Amino acid sequence: MFSYLNRGSVFYRNVISLALPILFQNLITTSLGMIDTFMVGSLGEAPLAAVAQANIPVFIIQLVIFGLQSGSSVLISQYWGRGDTDAINRCIGIGFYLAGAISAVFALVMFCFPEQLMRLLTNNEELIPLAAGYARIVGVSYLFNSITGVYTGAHRSMENPQLGLWIYAASMLTNTFLNWVFIFGNLGAPRLEVEGAAIATLTSRIVEFAIMVVYAAKNRRFRLKLSLCLRPDRALVEKFFRFATPVVVNETLWGMGTSMYKVIMGHMADSTHILAARAIAGNVEDISLVAVFAIAGTAAIVVGREIGAGRRATVYEVAAALNTMAFLCGAVIGAVLVVSAHTWLPAVVYPLFHLTPVSASIATLILTFTGALMPLRSFDSCNTVGVLRGGGDSRAAAVIDVSAMWLVAIPLAAIFALVLRWDIVWVYIAITIEQLVKFTLGLTRFRSRAWINDITRAGQ
């Protein structure tokens, strides 16, 4: 029954060699978020909740950029399997144009209308000025981060995930040090608190962008050709939009949907307690997901490479092995998370963030739901982000991912929380239903094998 898992040691060594740098990169990025949360949380629950709300548009920007990365990887991983580096350069160029334009629009809105934007996200008057001051500065950082993200994502698709690991490690160290300087006013700097965290983020994004530029100029494994990046041909632009647009739309709508849960929470009674708890639980959840997302990212690379190299006969079993690995990994992580949420996290971690008893109990509830859903979420992530997209089936992946959220879970969460005024537990019941729907639709699509497409062929 599970014979497809017998793929030999070479296969699993290759998966591990690709997954580990992605895992460590994700861990660095997530740890940075945890460090930010810890430092801002030491200022009190209101600053912590304010930064959580201000990061909603930032989160959407990140998801759009991730969508561009994932959309590009649909093509780049298959072109890499074919050895077509000119086409890869053109794909990167398209990503640069789109990422730069989208992040510029977000940065402009966050800089010029921060208070108006924050009022859309919460009606808590205590949080709005704090969130607006943070948003005005941090939005600019994603002009730099978006370009860096496209470039490192392309290298990940070309089996060089180590680049992102080193760039984001440097970014994390810079951000952490400058947080300490500007939030608390160390080394003679003014004590800027929430705005200091934003300045640290902006500076670290400039540093990672500078490292990327130097690497691109010196790297010999893959030559970045600006003449191709700046003038991609029309045929490839059309192909990029055909296969990448569903991914970008998918990630944007998924990001907006995830943010809608936070908006719903921001309009519930005791929103300060709920948002503070969600900020802590969200960071713990993100750390728990780094291995899952590493497997999903690896699946996209491996599936795309296999199809691009013409090895279609083995793709289904390779993908099945990766999906199974993700499910089992999620089961182990979920069990550990549930146990931790009821043992050492309340005793050790929550006090570090000065959570009140009410916020602490909400955080435990959130993490219990998160852990219980982890096996399904792990399968869904690997199958949608890795297998279906890597196979060129980005439209079906988008429909599965978005429909379960926007047509089922978000309406239910809004009715439970804002109309019926039920407890926060009902928001997470709606999220549970979302994962069940995704699992059912995703497994059905995977078994159909209709997702196996060579999109680099002429006429595709």
Side-chain angles (χ1 to χ4, degrees):
M1 181 177 178
F2 296 102
S3 59
Y4 59 85
L5 292 173
N6 298 322
R7 310 228 54 84
S9 60
V10 174
F11 170 79
Y12 288 106
R13 279 200 302 269
N14 179 243
V15 169
I16 292 171
S17 69
L18 291 172
L20 280 179
I22 300 174
L23 185 153
F24 286 123
Q25 178 186 325
N26 292 342
L27 183 60
I28 286 169
T29 305
T30 304
S31 298
L32 180 57
M34 178 68 86
I35 292 167
D36 276 353
T37 302
F38 172 70
M39 290 185 172
V40 173
S42 67
L43 302 173
E45 283 196 348
L48 178 61
V51 170
Q53 289 304 92
N55 272 320
I56 289 177
V58 172
F59 175 69
I60 293 173
I61 298 171
Q62 289 176 317
L63 265 295
V64 172
I65 302 309
F66 179 72
L68 287 171
Q69 288 180 334
S70 300
S72 300
S73 72
V74 172
L75 289 161
I76 291 173
S77 60
Q78 292 197 18
Y79 279 124
W80 182 249
R82 296 171 68 92
D84 190 345
T85 57
D86 284 354
I88 293 173
N89 266 286
R90 293 187 175 98
C91 287
I92 292 173
I94 298 168
F96 283 165
Y97 278 120
L98 293 175
I102 293 168
S103 58
V105 170
F106 271 88
L108 186 63
V109 172
M110 292 173 72
F111 185 81
C112 296
F113 310 104
E115 289 200 8
Q116 294 89 331
L117 182 60
M118 292 306 109
R119 288 184 187 280
L120 295 175
L121 304 178
T122 181
N123 58 2
N124 190 323
E125 291 296 329
E126 181 186 11
L127 305 184
I128 289 170
L130 292 170
Y134 180 88
R136 183 190 296 274
I137 298 169
V138 83
V140 179
S141 70
Y142 285 90
L143 288 168
F144 300 97
N145 180 249
S146 62
I147 302 299
T148 306
V150 169
Y151 184 76
T152 56
H155 274 268
R156 177 185 292 189
S157 299
M158 293 184 285
E159 302 179 88
N160 181 26
Q162 294 87 351
L163 174 61
L165 170 62
W166 296 117
I167 286 180
Y168 293 115
S171 176
M172 181 192 74
L173 293 174
T174 302
N175 199 337
T176 302
F177 173 71
L178 293 180
N179 271 343
W180 176 75
V181 171
F182 291 121
I183 292 176
F184 306 111
N186 289 306
L187 299 181
R191 181 183 173 92
L192 299 175
E193 299 190 348
V194 168
E195 290 189 1
I199 292 171
T201 298
L202 172 58
T203 306
S204 68
R205 299 308 187 195
I206 294 172
V207 168
E208 68 187 38
F209 177 79
I211 295 172
M212 180 214 78
V213 170
V214 172
Y215 182 89
K218 296 188 176 222
N219 179 248
R220 299 184 184 278
R221 180 175 182 267
F222 170 77
R223 289 284 189 182
L224 187 66
K225 300 176 182 177
L226 290 180
S227 60
L228 296 177
C229 288
L230 297 177
R231 298 193 336 189
D233 64 58
R234 180 175 177 179
L236 190 58
V237 169
E238 291 175 353
K239 183 171 287 189
F240 185 96
F241 276 96
R242 179 182 172 189
F243 291 101
T245 298
V247 181
V248 176
V249 172
N250 181 178
E251 292 300 333
T252 303
L253 290 177
W254 185 87
M256 292 174 64
T258 301
S259 299
M260 279 300 300
Y261 291 131
K262 296 179 184 177
V263 172
I264 290 169
M265 294 175 195
H267 287 80
M268 294 176 70
D270 291 330
S271 60
T272 299
H273 292 302
I274 293 172
L275 292 173
R278 179 66 185 83
I280 304 303
N283 277 278
V284 175
E285 176 184 344
D286 289 343
I287 289 177
S288 302
L289 286 168
V290 294
V292 172
F293 290 148
I295 295 174
T298 301
I301 297 168
V302 172
V303 169
R305 181 191 64 195
E306 293 296 299
I307 294 175
R311 294 188 286 269
R312 294 171 58 93
T314 60
V315 168
Y316 182 83
E317 290 191 346
V318 166
L322 291 165
N323 275 342
T324 303
M325 287 174 62
F327 183 89
L328 295 175
C329 180
V332 173
I333 294 170
V336 172
L337 187 56
V338 170
V339 172
S340 299
H342 291 271
T343 53
W344 64 274
L345 285 175
V348 177
V349 175
Y350 298 172
L352 295 176
F353 298 93
H354 309 287
L355 289 186
T356 64
V358 173
S359 298
S361 65
I362 294 172
T364 296
L365 170 72
I366 292 172
L367 291 173
T368 300
F369 270 95
T370 301
L373 288 174
M374 193 64 72
L376 293 183
R377 186 170 179 183
S378 300
F379 174 89
D380 293 340
S381 296
C382 183
N383 190 52
T384 303
V385 176
V387 174
L388 299 187
R389 288 183 186 171
D393 196 23
S394 53
R395 288 184 181 83
V399 170
I400 291 168
D401 212 23
V402 171
S403 62
M405 174 179 280
W406 281 96
L407 300 182
V408 180
I410 290 176
L412 285 176
I415 292 170
F416 293 159
L418 304 182
V419 178
L420 300 176
R421 302 288 180 182
W422 288 351
D423 192 79
I424 184 65
V425 66
W426 288 94
V427 174
Y428 279 85
I429 288 174
I431 294 172
T432 300
I433 295 171
E434 174 194 341
Q435 295 300 326
L436 290 170
V437 173
K438 282 185 182 178
F439 178 79
T440 303
L441 296 176
L443 185 61
T444 301
R445 183 64 177 181
F446 174 74
R447 287 179 170 173
S448 74
R449 305 184 187 230
W451 50 270
I452 304 175
N453 304 289
D454 185 349
I455 63 177
T456 61
R457 295 198 321 265
Q460 286 293 309

